[in-house]
Amino acid sequence: MSVDLSTNYLGLRLRSPIVASASPLTGDPAMWEHIEQAGAGALVLPSLFEEQIEHDAFAVDHVLDSGTDAFGESLTYFPELESYDTGPSRHLALVELARQRLSIPVIASLNGTSPGGWVKYARHLEDAGAQAIELNVYNVIVDPHRTASDVERSYVELVEEVRAEVQVPLAVKLGPWFTSLGHLALALEAVGADGLVLFNRLYQPDIDLDTLYVKPRLQLSTSAEGQLPLHWIGILRGFMKCSLAGTTGVHDGADALKLLLAGADVAMTTSALLRHGPDRIATMLSWIEQWMVERDYVSIEQLKGSVSQRNVPDPDVYERANYYQVLHSWKG
Amino acid sequence: MAQAAISSTVRDADVQTRAVVDGNEATARIAHLASEVIAIYPITPASPMGEFADDWSSKGRTNLWGAVPEVIEMQSEAGAAGTLHGAITRGALGTTFTSSQGLLLMLPNMFKIAGELTPTVIHVAARTVATHALSIFGDHSDVMAARTTGFAMLCASSVQEAADFAAIAHAATLDTRVPFLHFFDGFRTSHEIATINEPSEQELAALIDPASITAHRARGLDPDRPMLRGSAQNPDVFFQAREACNPFHASVPAVVQSKMDLLAELTSRRYNLVDYYGAPDADRVIVLMGSGAGAVRETIAELTSTGERVGVAVVRLFRPFPTEALLAALPPSTQTIVVLDRTKEPGAPFEPLHLDVLSALWHSPTESWADGSKPRVIGGRYGLSSKEFTPAMVRAVFDEASKDNPRNKFTVGIIDDVTHNSLTYDPAFTTDHARVRAVFFGLGADGTVGANKNTTKIVGHNTDLAVQAYFVYDSKKSGSMTISHVRFDPEPINSTYLIDRATFVGVHQWDFLERMDVLKVAAPGATVLINSPFPADEIWDRLTVEVQQVIIDRDLRLHTIDAGAVAKAAGLQGRVNTVMQTCFFALSNVLPTAQAIDELKRAITVSYGKRGDVVVQRNIEAVDTTLAELFPVPVGTTVTATKHRRPTLTGAATDFVERVTARMLAGEGDLLPVSALPPDGTFPTGTSQYEKRTIATEIPIWEADLCIDCGKCAIVCPHAAIRMKVYDATELQVDGAEVLKTKSFRSREVPGMSLTVQVAPDDCTGCGLCVTACPAHDKSEVKRKSINLRPIEEHLDTERVAWDAFRALHEADQALWDPASVKTSQLREPLFEFSGACLGCGETPYIKLLTQLFGDHLLIANATGCSSIYGGNLPTTPYSTNDAGRGPAWSNSLFEDNAEFGLGIRLGLDAQQHGALGLLAKLSTGSPALIDPALAAAIAAGVQDGGDTPIREQRERVEQLRDALRAIDDPTATQLLELCGTLVRKTVWIVGGDGWAYDIGAGGLDHVLASGRNVNILVLDTEVYSNTGGQASKATPRGAVAKFASGGKGIAKKDLGLEAMSFGDVYVAQVALGSSDIQTVKALLEAEAWPGVSLVIAYSTCIAHGFDMRQSMTQQKLAVQSGHWPLYRYRPGDEEATTPFQLDSAAPSVPYAEFAGSEARFAMLRRSNPARADELMELAQADVAARWRYYEQLAAVERTAPTHIGTAIIAEAEDEP
């Protein structure tokens, strides 16, 4: 018996619920065919970082100006090149190429720093052919004078501004650190977000014990980290109509399936692909398919959200009580 | 960025093309259009021509015939000339560009090329040939050295003429078969930006006869129609064959004139072989060539308007000399001809042009002159090394010519109080009437020059005004000042001299007002724009007495803006160019302000567009926010200030420094008389200490409680501006000791001593390398290190006192400390301090270390390049002396011959030592012996002993010998007295960059490596020609972008160390201070101790690598970790089973791409051509892996080499009777 693995995400019909999330792998055109053949439902390209574009532009500006016109024998130090590629053009070309080469949907990812930047680059990505845009709201609020409501309002305004300028579906990728995530989620949905991607993982600092330098460090996730998105997707699914994507901690078919059962429309995976290669997607799908067959499920749509907070006999397990139960069951 | 296109030429369909360009660009454009092969080599001030040609070809720009010219960088100008010779021998159209010593290196080929009647053009930005000193500036001493080669020589005197004469030269050479040397004045024309009408491609094509090209190609070497050229001839035929070329040379003047006539038909710009300007009935006529013609013409216009009968004959074609054209050009009324030569030929009866004019007059019939007698001819020299040549000087020349007995062989522009040849002139005389005369004072880093180039372009393209811009640069590479001279006028501008009566003065750094007389150039009523951090109503009270006085005296109108704040608010930290440019337009009314701002924004978009939208937007934002922050400054009517301009010198100085150096530092070098200057180019050392530049905004402040005494801060300092001393605490009685910070010094060998680490606050550049290098952190607050950068204004006063106190402490007794560690090496006095090298320079720490280890017995032969500039560019030198008066003795010969020069110094020393040993033996073995045999034996035994104590003991013995010799009345004793200094060990270090060692000097270096003599070679490898602006050398690594390798260098770097090892008896080390300072110290000590040739290749980070130079040492570490720069030492030995090659760094642990990605020289290629970058990076990674594998194998190879070399001479000397 065959099962229908397709799913609806951001209004797009995906052939499978496993999405290759933004990573160096999805930025490498040589890997695209591999990812597609492995059965990915869609591919999210690496983020276009506005901050990086600005940094690069000023770095080039600085290098080209350093030491120039200061000493009669060496008025400059570098040849003038045709292009320094400081703008988004290379990234946009990547989007265009992905659209040409892939039959699965291509989702662009954007990380802006200025209100104008979000809108401008979202429009560029749409024009380049992205079938959806993931707004990767990736910042750490370090200003202790800024209130939570102010931060949330800025998120909502950002999505509202981008929504007004682009037509393709918008997903918002969030971190988990909100006092009332549900409230924010509803507000984002209300201003036009077509989906939420839960959760972002930040580059967090680490300390080098030899030099005592603080350096950003990104470790690949583990399955255990999948519990946080599972928790929130299970909660949000009950009162949100927009798409939900679970990301972080998706390493095998079981991890992905749990997210779907909790209410995700897709499970996104990065670390597993970096570790094991794109074929991991096929392994996950095969495992899910077998699980479904064994239990007479016919489609992903059938199981999505079936174990969400709303659909479980004891909704409290998604709430604080869960904390007590875990602690009380701990045997040491 | 490359010599960036100053022009954005406005091209009409087929007629005139008005462009704003400098002489180099104007010339290079024609050369590129008219050539198929271009062989190049960088040399100031001609380098930009090669850079333009390379840049254009790399971007696919085609010549007149639709092909992209082949551009190749060679290893030297000799190589470029040889390649050019080959290309044109094959029948291709070829050209090259050069200057000065470069032209001299081309001479042998030029004789050949001319002798073979092969058409080509060499474009020369004429520059001084090095004599008593190197000079990068302009005169005709180089081209005059080429006048015997047989090349035709055509001289342009303006940017317009440089373009036109380049075209004429390329056309005429093909018709005549005589090769052409087209020249114009270095800097004054090569670097002057002006509005010109460029010859269009159609016009150039019309000038060049296709039939001549066909004939040239038909003469090309071709096996399909074989021939032989370059035979060896014997006395029977050589002479006749040499005369066979006469008709070709004879045809040149007529052909050149015909091309000039054709150009006039095409463009209305008329030239003649000799052009006359001035009164038709002139009685006094100047004859000259080059840019000086502009000042002369301007003066003549002024003088003739008052009825004076003066004129000038400007010689365009110098070879073959156009005798008839000159005679035809001179008015019959001429009574006195004054020939002005921009060169000096000691010993000649007259300078060359003067001689030619005399010769021409010899052939002139007496009756052709108005009063029946030939004019008298006098001559003089002017403008050597770009010395200013002004209308005031021209007037003095005409005045001299009016005298009954005028001086001949005079000089003008200097005060000659030795041979009394100089003319006096009235500096107040001026003919400079340009409507806008603006002078801008900027810092090298603040973008002032770039802004003025941009302004010139905007005005040139948007008005009918003629524009002229000329820039004067500093002799320092860090904290340098630039002065821009910009003129705009409705009439063509002939003012080929600096502005001294400015209608507008821009002072782009407040500090300049306090340390220089920047307002001396202001004309009465001039507008002055000051970039100041202070509110307008505070400015007056903050000015010095001198500045207030000049403002009142000349009724100057002041405006101010805090450009730094405006730029910072717009996100342009430190770049005040856009802001100041906007203010200039608003205040100068060259253009309506609104139009100017529109054009400025357009220019910003063009200039910065490639760098990214955000850069454009931030600059536009700066423009938009500027005018609201520009304020007039209320000015007082009387001087109220009490503060005076900062003195040029601080502290006591020598008489020479007071009389000479101080004047140069004050910008008054032009006023020094001949008698003030050493006649042979020999200057005292230790002068940089008097030049207190105070250019840092932050300086390192020592926290004694955290210090671990490691010495790393001192060893990495490029400027010797942070030092450490260990002393007995009882010394803390010196003045100012109360502010000295001190701690106990950790040492088992010498306990109980105190340590101070001290910054020289006025000499520090604030580069921060010491802070980066400091490993000592506060245990509770990691950001607090033992050295921290702090704002200079908070610490300057205290640190000045502390520095003086620190200087007063005794230097460490070197005998107490073994130098073989970083810590102890830094207790030794650096005899190289406060260089003007770039901030974060990677080279200077090595030289400083060299002087710390061997400075009191060190001779340095220094190749031309960065190290000769920061080492020997006046007004001051960083080489200094110790308390005993000893220190490095330094000399620069040339770029190409440095290895041989150093070897010669060694041979000279050895010969003298050999002689001294012989004399010593003679005096100590007679009966009776005049010298104590025991003393003589001890001296002979210690003659090669190195190390502090043996050298000190030998000095003491030699001093005893001196005392004894003085008491002996014997010629042999007198001779030995002169030579006995050589009996103390001296070390010879041959120092230079990779351009010298890998390229132009490689042949000589190879020979010296094979010499077996006791010389040490230090190659400061920046992997690029740093001093001339980042051209590729054979040391440039694969994948790096450099000038002449803008597509990324495709070939791997040469392994110089391996080459040297192949000789077997050469000590070789590869070091990187930032990776292993101790390995560097060891390598230098081992190299010095090695009795034969030693080669130390030192990785030297450079501004041309493209990273934040504060990370200079960290970047060196990364270079080693990535395998880009393995550390090793190769010490040959004669022991059995020796493995002389020792790897001192670990196997590569960082991907090469990570290292490369952190430097713009590699990263730029990834941006512009990712596919090629990937390809080259893959190869580069393979290079690293292959080299490492090879080195690992080398480390296991047993090799036995005889090590007796270097001792042979001594043994020989000892054998002397």
Side-chain angles (χ1 to χ4, degrees), chain B residues 89-420:
Chain B
T89 296
R90 164 57 207 163
L93 302 175
T95 193
T96 186
F97 316 101
T98 195
S99 276
S100 189
Q101 322 293 139
L103 182 61
L104 302 195
L105 287 175
M106 292 184 175
L107 291 179
N109 260 295
M110 290 173 70
F111 279 95
K112 289 287 294 175
I113 290 167
E116 292 165 358
L117 292 172
T118 315
T120 188
V121 181
I122 297 178
H123 299 275
V124 175
R127 165 184 155 180
T128 310
V129 170
T131 48
H132 62 287
L134 170 147
S135 170
I136 61 168
F137 295 100
D139 64 34
H140 298 165
S141 51
D142 56 357
V143 292
M144 287 304 167
R147 70 183 195 274
T148 60
T149 57
F151 267 57
M153 295 170 69
L154 192 58
C155 177
S157 52
S158 67
V159 179
Q160 178 69 63
E161 290 176 19
D164 289 341
F165 290 6
I168 288 167
H170 277 278
T173 188
L174 285 162
D175 284 6
T176 61
R177 297 185 58 187
V178 174
F180 270 61
L181 189 160
H182 164 231
F183 69 100
F184 44 88
D185 288 353
F187 280 105
R188 186 66 250 180
T189 303
S190 67
H191 282 57
E192 177 185 301
I193 299 171
T195 34
I196 69 164
N197 290 307
E198 290 184 323
S200 67
E201 292 183 27
Q202 295 91 328
E203 288 159 358
L204 181 60
L207 283 170
I208 296 175
D209 183 355
S212 296
I213 298 175
T214 303
H216 169 58
R217 286 179 177 150
R219 292 188 295 269
L221 213 57
D222 188 341
D224 289 342
R225 37 187 175 73
M227 58 186 171
L228 180 147
R229 190 178 297 156
S231 61
Q233 298 180 351
N234 300 316
D236 54 345
V237 299
F238 183 94
F239 194 170
Q240 304 92 298
R242 191 74 187 98
E243 296 300 319
C245 66
N246 293 350
F248 295 88
H249 291 275
S251 73
V252 170
V255 170
V256 171
Q257 187 59 60
S258 73
K259 296 296 179 187
M260 288 175 163
D261 294 345
L262 181 53
L263 184 77
E265 278 177 37
L266 295 166
T267 68
S268 303
R269 293 191 297 279
R270 171 157 291 286
Y271 304 102
N272 294 289
L273 303 181
V274 179
D275 273 312
Y276 177 79
Y277 305 93
D281 59 347
D283 53 19
R284 287 156 291 156
V285 177
I286 287 175
V287 179
L288 86 171
M289 290 189 291
S291 64
V296 177
R297 288 177 61 180
E298 193 178 276
T299 312
I300 286 170
E302 187 91 0
L303 295 179
T304 53
S305 70
T306 63
E308 292 210 42
R309 293 165 55 201
V310 293
V312 60
V314 181
V315 175
R316 280 45 168 97
L317 184 68
F318 176 61
R319 284 289 178 273
F321 193 74
T323 299
E324 290 171 10
L326 175 69
L327 294 173
L330 294 168
S333 55
T334 306
Q335 294 175 3
T336 303
I337 295 171
V338 192
V339 187
L340 294 181
D341 274 277
R342 202 163 196 161
T343 189
K344 178 177 174 65
E345 293 192 0
F350 295 103
E351 262 59 58
L353 184 60
H354 190 162
L355 284 174
D356 289 347
V357 172
L358 285 172
S359 160
L361 275 184
W362 178 262
H363 296 289
S364 165
T366 307
E367 56 274 19
S368 64
W369 301 94
D371 62 0
S373 63
K374 292 182 185 179
R376 64 181 177 180
V377 181
I378 61 172
R381 293 181 293 278
Y382 74 103
L384 297 196
S385 179
S386 290
K387 175 69 76 184
E388 276 287 272
F389 183 56
T390 65
M393 298 170 196
V394 177
R395 183 179 173 179
V397 169
F398 280 125
D399 288 348
E400 190 68 20
S402 300
K403 294 178 180 172
D404 290 340
N405 293 301
R407 249 180 295 186
N408 204 348
K409 301 176 77 169
F410 61 80
T411 54
V412 65
I414 59 172
I415 303 164
D416 180 357
D417 57 345
V418 173
T419 39
H420 306 287

Side-chain angles (χ1 to χ4, degrees), chain A residues 50 52-88 90 120-121 124 210-214, chain B residues 1-3 44 55 59 136 187 191 444 449-450 453 473-474 476-477 480 482 575 608 610-612 614-615 618 777 782 869 1026-1029 1041-1043 1046 1103-1104 1106 1160 1164 1166-1168 1170:
Chain A
E50 181 185 6
Q52 185 72 41
I53 289 171
E54 292 197 4
H55 173 271
D56 286 1
F58 278 104
V60 167
D61 186 54
H62 178 73
V63 163
L64 294 179
D65 281 343
S66 286
T68 60
D69 287 324
F71 187 69
E73 295 210 68
S74 46
L75 299 180
T76 61
Y77 284 98
F78 285 102
E80 185 160 11
L81 304 183
E82 293 277 23
S83 155
Y84 301 104
D85 191 29
T86 53
R90 186 183 299 177
K120 179 174 72 176
Y121 292 118
H124 285 328
D210 287 331
T211 64
L212 298 184
Y213 290 157
V214 176
Chain B
M1 189 162 67
Q3 292 308 323
T44 307
D55 184 42
K59 289 173 179 155
I136 61 168
F187 280 105
H191 282 57
V449 169
K453 286 179 178 174
Y473 301 96
D474 211 319
K476 297 285 190 290
K477 297 190 178 215
S480 59
T482 62
R575 298 287 292 181
Y608 299 118
K610 276 200 271 186
R611 303 184 187 187
V614 64
V615 179
R618 299 267 176 93
H777 298 269
V782 74
I869 295 301
S1026 301
N1027 192 51
T1028 48
V1041 165
K1043 289 175 187 167
S1046 54
I1103 191 169
M1164 282 168 69
R1166 172 154 292 285
R1167 296 181 170 284
S1168 67

Side-chain angles (χ1 to χ4, degrees), chain A residues 29-189:
Chain A
M31 301 305 293
W32 289 343
E33 190 181 354
H34 208 162
I35 292 169
E36 188 168 65
Q37 284 176 354
L43 176 141
V44 186
L45 290 169
S47 272
L48 171 65
F49 285 92
E50 181 185 6
E51 191 178 26
Q52 185 72 41
I53 289 171
E54 292 197 4
H55 173 271
D56 286 1
F58 278 104
V60 167
D61 186 54
H62 178 73
V63 163
L64 294 179
D65 281 343
S66 286
T68 60
D69 287 324
F71 187 69
E73 295 210 68
S74 46
L75 299 180
T76 61
Y77 284 98
F78 285 102
E80 185 160 11
L81 304 183
E82 293 277 23
S83 155
Y84 301 104
D85 191 29
T86 53
S89 55
R90 186 183 299 177
H91 192 96
L92 297 177
L94 192 74
V95 176
E96 283 179 20
L97 186 65
R99 276 305 307 278
Q100 290 166 16
R101 302 252 296 263
L102 289 166
S103 57
I104 55 175
V106 172
I107 300 170
S109 173
L110 170 64
N111 178 282
T113 49
S114 65
W118 283 103
V119 172
K120 179 174 72 176
Y121 292 118
R123 214 184 292 132
H124 285 328
L125 291 169
E126 181 179 41
D127 292 345
Q131 285 146 295
I133 297 174
E134 188 175 285
L135 301 175
N136 179 11
V137 190
Y138 175 97
N139 51 15
V140 179
I141 310 299
V142 295
D143 178 0
H145 304 295
R146 200 162 169 209
T147 65
S149 58
D150 182 38
V151 173
E152 290 184 12
R153 192 181 317 114
S154 71
Y155 276 52
V156 173
E157 287 172 0
L158 183 153
V159 174
E160 196 170 15
E161 284 169 15
V162 177
R163 179 73 285 164
E165 292 290 330
V166 300
Q167 305 305 313
V168 293
L170 289 180
V172 183
K173 191 169 187 177
L174 296 172
W177 302 283
F178 291 93
T179 310
S180 175
L181 184 62
H183 179 263
L184 175 64
L186 281 175
L188 293 171
E189 186 180 50

